[in-house]
Structure formats: C-alpha cells, structure tokens
Amino acid sequence: MFKIFTQKWLTSLLGLGLISFSLIVSGVSSAQAQDVQVATMRDNILLTEEVAPPAIANVENKDLKRMRDYPQQPPTVPHIISKYQIDKNVNQCMDCHARDKASEVQATPVGVSHYLNREGEYQAGMSPRRYFCTQCHVTQTESKPLIDNEFVDVNDLMKPAANK
C-alpha cells in the first residue's frame, strides 16, 4: 500500500517538475506561463470565475428523418427519448424499431447491421454489441452551435467544380 502511494506521489511530482522544467528551458517565466491564452468555449471567462451555465436546449421532436452527413453515420433520433428505458433488461426503442413492429407504427426498422455478430454472421436477434442505441444514435437540440462548422457535405464534394 505504501509503495503504491509513494509511486503515485513521485509520479505526480515528476510530472509537475517536467512541466516546470519545460517552461524554464523554453525561457518562459511562471508569470508568462499564467498569461498564456488557451482557446476555450468559456468566452474568455477565467477558470477561477464561476458563472451560471447556459439553459439546456430543447430536444427536437419533429419525427422527420434527417439527412446523414457522412457514409456510415448513425441516423439521429428525431424525437424525445429522455424517458425511454434502455438497460440490460429492457430496450424501449425496440417497441417501435424492431423489424417485426416497425411497419405497423411507421418507424424506421433497425438496420440489418445490428443483427451481425463479431464474425460477420447474421443472427435471429439483435447483436449485444448494438443493443444500447444511445451509444451511437443521439437526439438533436434546437440550439446554436458552440463553434463554427465548416463541414462540407459529401454530395457537395462529389460535384464537378463547374457545378459549384
């Protein structure tokens, strides 16, 4: 126990020493190091200041399929799922999205990729690797982007230069 504590303590001190050493070697004084500006999403608010967090944005609830931005992108969830139970006993998403139920409730059925095992063989039931939907599929919020996005859709990239 003492050996583990000592190793962690020494590792921490060594890490602090290396940081100080790298600042000294680079000719940066401790006062200058504190003045270094790092780009953050805090709008130039110091870490020592505590501000009220922004309001949580509303989740879109439009039930409209959204275009995907890149190949193999998991579809986004076009409705509220905050009260859905998704755990080892129940996956409430499957009440509508199971392949045998989707057509009667007009939901998108789970993709066939969700029925593949690790060896690439199809199974009768959903793969345990794909059971927890929210690992990949997310809801969208009605909010302003936190940072500028310069994403170019794959269809726009594929257009000839003359059509742009």
Side-chain angles (χ1 to χ4, degrees), residues 63-82:
D63 280 338
L64 298 173
K65 287 185 186 179
R66 186 175 273 190
M67 290 293 297
R68 298 188 200 187
D69 291 322
Y70 56 90
Q72 303 299 317
Q73 175 189 354
T76 58
V77 181
H79 56 83
I80 296 171
I81 60 169
S82 60

Side-chain angles (χ1 to χ4, degrees), residues 81-100:
I81 60 169
S82 60
K83 295 195 177 2
Y84 281 29
Q85 181 179 354
I86 306 171
D87 58 31
K88 67 179 184 149
N89 299 316
V90 176
N91 181 333
Q92 203 168 347
C93 298
M94 298 308 289
D95 290 352
C96 297
H97 294 281
R99 296 193 76 73
D100 59 340

Side-chain angles (χ1 to χ4, degrees), residues 3 11 30 51 72 77 79 81 92 101 111-112 117 132 135:
K3 182 178 180 180
T11 303
S30 60
V51 296
Q72 303 299 317
V77 181
H79 56 83
I81 60 169
Q92 203 168 347
K101 299 175 185 172
V112 292
N117 64 15
F132 295 100
Q135 288 181 138

